[in-house]
Amino acid sequence: MEKIEQLTPEQIARFPEFVEKWKKIGLSTEPANRDKAEEGIRKAYEIAGLNPPKIVWTQSPMGNALTRHIIQNLTKEDFEKLSAEPFDIGASVGASVGASVGASVRASVRDSVWASVGDSVWASVWASVRASVWDSVGDSVRDSVGDSVWASVGASVWDSVWDSVRDSVGDSVWDSVGDSVWDSVGASVWASVRDSGYGQHDAEYSAFFGFFREACGLAEQTEKWEGNRIISENAGWYLPHKNICWVSERHSVLKIDEQGRLHAEDGPALEYPDGWGIYAWHGVRLTGKEWIITNPELITPDKIFSEENAEIRRVMQERYGWQKFFLEMKKSGRVKQIDQQPDISGMPVTLYAYHDRDDITQHFVHVYNGTIEQDGTRHEFTLNCKNINDNAFDSVMGTYPDIMQIIENHPNRLSILRNAVRT
């Protein structure tokens, strides 16, 4: 086959098709298609030259990791008791996760003999089923297309899906699985994360290879990815071993902000059917500090000031309320006035600086509403902002970057600012 050195206009026009398809799959909260996913697992094993494994479903990537950890640490006595007794995995991941994992553990050893269990779980086949497949398919496709074609598809398809799925959601799941367990299990769980295929969160791989397969006719060159493609289209994470493969459901709840970051104000931003999930505020994960979302009334200035993580401090400030926080800091003498200028109605626009525990400086502008209320007062507002030129007007307008860009060189800029700073 002649090397593809340039994409046709028709092929380029199909970029959005693959981006949208795989973004939708990567962010899907629909239940897994178990029959199709199991078909993909068997195909992936077959491509790797392995016998089809026993397939055990769990309810989350955490379920995969904990189930493997328990199986790897079973004694023969534990193994013999499993069919008759519930299995207690501890309380740190929640009762619903524990119950789900117990069921998956029992399913993993059901109809097995003790001698075969260790061999099944210690022999991870991740390298054969996924890692080497990516290298092999990548090399085959790379040999079939020119550098500019590879780069173009990468920038238009891979990068777009990566930004929407892996970067904002998949990596958060990766980090949170390891963060959510107690120390004695942590190393084992992190090993499970590394040994996993990421199912729907592998969407960028499947979009990338799918484009070359379908739009460029490179079916033979991408055939080895087909098992993984079927899995990623139909299930969550999977953990492949020699004779057994654990595979998880997809997330059942997924909430993101306008920038595609995990975000929810009233519960988990991401959750799996067993109840394991991630609380996040505009992309900042709150593992172990979920109360900031569920019970914001417990936030106090002292708790904000004592929080070690700067990103979480900022989340707490937003949840507490910028104006309320500013007034508390002003009352305690922790803010310093930098600049003050009158707006068009003569009311002051004031820029303040606040230094937090890491000596990170935050800035606030305090403004008044341009409309006078019936009682003759004006509503007051405090906005968190960037300090621009130690100037109160520039700083408040910096919260509206589009407006600043438009009027940056306007001859009547000051007049426009004075009129605009009326919330």
Side-chain angles (χ1 to χ4, degrees):
M1 178 179 176
E2 188 175 340
K3 198 169 188 177
I4 301 171
E5 295 289 355
Q6 186 173 356
L7 295 175
T8 67
E10 291 76 17
Q11 289 170 327
I12 293 172
R14 295 190 67 184
F15 282 163
E17 170 191 338
F18 288 86
V19 171
E20 292 309 312
K21 173 185 176 179
W22 285 100
K23 279 171 58 176
K24 183 177 180 181
I25 290 170
L27 302 177
S28 174
T29 56
E30 293 295 318
N33 184 331
R34 295 194 173 197
D35 289 341
K36 293 294 290 183
E38 291 180 14
E39 174 190 325
I41 290 170
R42 288 189 289 268
K43 186 173 184 66
Y45 272 66
E46 178 186 352
I47 290 169
L50 300 168
N51 292 325
K54 179 176 185 175
I55 298 172
V56 176
W57 282 87
T58 72
Q59 296 295 304
S60 67
M62 176 63 77
N64 282 353
L66 290 176
T67 299
R68 185 179 85 159
H69 170 78
I70 292 168
I71 294 293
Q72 286 180 339
N73 289 277
L74 281 178
T75 65
K76 187 173 182 179
E77 182 180 5
D78 290 332
F79 174 81
E80 292 170 348
K81 287 180 178 180
L82 270 173
S83 60
E85 298 179 8
F87 203 91
D88 180 14
I89 67 163
S92 82
V93 293
S96 62
V97 178
S100 173
V101 169
S104 297
V105 169
R106 286 188 288 276
S108 299
V109 300
R110 189 178 299 128
D111 302 324
S112 300
V113 295
W114 170 249
S116 71
V117 173
D119 182 51
S120 297
V121 299
W122 284 112
S124 170
V125 294
W126 173 81
S128 299
V129 172
R130 182 179 180 277
S132 64
V133 172
W134 158 253
D135 292 336
S136 176
V137 176
D139 290 343
S140 295
V141 173
R142 195 66 186 263
D143 289 341
S144 302
V145 302
D147 291 344
S148 63
V149 173
W150 176 274
S152 176
V153 177
S156 298
V157 177
W158 173 288
D159 289 353
S160 295
V161 178
W162 174 282
D163 290 345
S164 297
V165 178
R166 177 65 71 86
D167 193 36
S168 61
V169 179
D171 284 354
S172 292
V173 175
W174 171 296
D175 291 335
S176 295
V177 170
D179 290 348
S180 298
V181 296
W182 55 103
D183 291 342
S184 62
V185 181
S188 172
V189 169
W190 271 117
S192 293
V193 172
R194 293 190 297 271
D195 289 345
S196 292
Y198 307 116
Q200 68 182 123
H201 297 155
D202 268 338
E204 72 280 2
Y205 289 88
S206 292
F208 186 66
F209 289 143
F211 179 86
F212 286 116
R213 182 181 183 85
E214 298 178 37
C216 300
L218 301 181
E220 181 181 347
Q221 292 86 339
T222 57
E223 180 61 24
K224 287 185 177 180
W225 185 255
E226 274 298 277
N228 282 275
R229 192 272 303 169
I230 297 170
I231 299 168
S232 63
E233 193 166 359
N234 294 285
W237 288 28
Y238 63 101
L239 189 53
H241 285 65
K242 183 178 179 181
N243 296 316
I244 190 169
C245 181
W246 293 284
V247 56
S248 85
E249 274 288 343
R250 293 191 278 213
H251 29 60
S252 53
V253 172
L254 179 63
K255 299 178 181 180
I256 55 179
D257 62 15
E258 293 180 354
Q259 297 182 40
R261 301 171 299 187
L262 288 177
H263 174 74
E265 299 182 9
D266 56 357
L270 179 147
E271 188 174 60
Y272 283 84
D274 59 8
W276 181 79
I278 301 170
Y279 285 75
W281 183 269
H282 295 299
V284 178
R285 293 183 303 111
L286 299 171
T287 304
K289 300 182 186 294
E290 293 82 358
W291 63 272
I292 295 173
I293 299 295
T294 59
N295 299 99
E297 70 278 2
L298 299 179
I299 300 173
T300 65
D302 285 342
K303 288 181 179 178
I304 294 172
F305 198 75
S306 62
E307 170 56 49
E308 295 181 357
N309 184 291
E311 287 187 320
I312 295 178
R313 277 202 303 274
R314 187 173 181 85
V315 172
M316 295 173 74
Q317 289 169 341
E318 289 185 31
R319 294 290 279 164
Y320 189 72
W322 287 117
Q323 179 155 327
K324 185 178 177 182
F325 179 73
F326 164 77
L327 292 175
E328 291 284 349
M329 294 302 97
K330 185 178 180 183
K331 182 179 176 181
S332 65
R334 291 178 176 170
V335 296
K336 176 184 177 182
Q337 180 175 317
I338 296 176
D339 183 43
Q340 184 178 85
Q341 299 184 42
D343 65 17
I344 194 171
S345 59
M347 301 303 293
V349 177
T350 311
L351 176 65
Y352 293 92
Y354 158 71
H355 301 281
D356 71 8
R357 56 171 288 151
D358 293 329
D359 205 30
I360 296 174
T361 303
Q362 291 181 310
H363 292 89
F364 300 88
V365 282
H366 185 255
V367 297
Y368 289 83
N369 197 346
T371 303
I372 301 175
E373 301 300 313
Q374 291 184 351
D375 63 0
T377 63
R378 300 174 190 265
H379 286 306
E380 301 178 39
F381 301 91
T382 302
L383 307 173
N384 181 239
C385 67
K386 292 182 180 179
N387 178 14
I388 302 176
N389 305 323
D390 284 346
N391 183 286
F393 283 116
D394 284 355
S395 297
V396 71
M397 289 308 297
T399 62
Y400 304 97
D402 293 339
I403 297 176
M404 287 295 286
Q405 185 175 2
I406 292 171
I407 68 171
E408 184 174 7
N409 297 313
H410 196 283
N412 295 321
R413 180 171 173 273
L414 183 59
S415 176
I416 294 172
L417 287 172
R418 289 185 186 279
N419 278 278
V421 184
R422 300 173 65 191
T423 54

